[in-house]
Amino acid sequence: MQYQWLNQLEQKHHQSFFELYTKEWWTQNRSYDDAINMLVHCDLIIACCDMQDRVIGFARVLTDYTFKALIFDVIIDETARGQGPEHFTVKLDQLDGGDNATK
């Protein structure tokens, strides 16, 4: 299976992101507008899309870009679990070319 790694989601990804995002017990009652608002205001995100451009993996990061980074909402689509994208958190250090990595 091939994947595309993204550090931002375009509007065309919002619906598939929301469908993935609301499958978890802690996100299932969140509205589309609130989820997209959260997405727009994240410090960093990493997303994994399949070859049909469907979001199948997601994590978001809150950071001060100096000392701390907190990873939230690590979600992998059930159909992709065990297929490789669950290892995407290692990609977080490559966001922004690594220039903003925490110390």
Side-chain angles (χ1 to χ4, degrees):
M1 215 174 189
Q2 293 183 345
Y3 308 103
Q4 177 183 12
W5 301 100
L6 304 171
N7 61 6
Q8 63 182 8
L9 292 176
E10 298 175 21
Q11 187 172 359
K12 67 179 181 177
H13 297 114
H14 287 181
Q15 186 61 42
S16 68
F17 159 75
F18 183 70
E19 290 168 7
L20 172 72
Y21 187 71
T22 55
K23 288 182 180 178
E24 301 303 328
W25 63 266
W26 70 92
T27 59
Q28 62 188 345
N29 292 322
R30 297 181 185 175
S31 73
Y32 178 85
D33 289 339
D34 286 345
I36 300 307
N37 188 48
M38 174 275 302
L39 185 64
V40 169
H41 291 95
C42 287
D43 293 326
L44 300 170
I45 70 146
I46 188 165
C48 182
C49 292
D50 62 15
M51 297 313 292
Q52 289 75 42
D53 223 17
R54 183 178 63 99
V55 178
I56 59 170
F58 173 80
R60 64 186 177 111
V61 179
L62 300 179
T63 183
D64 60 17
Y65 293 99
T66 304
F67 299 110
K68 302 287 184 200
L70 302 171
I71 301 171
F72 291 93
D73 297 330
V74 177
I75 302 171
I76 304 294
D77 188 87
E78 288 181 5
T79 62
R81 292 178 188 170
Q83 304 295 315
E86 69 273 11
H87 303 289
F88 76 91
T89 53
V90 298
K91 295 275 188 189
L92 290 171
D93 67 343
Q94 297 173 8
L95 292 174
D96 295 330
D99 294 339
N100 293 322
T102 58
K103 298 177 183 176

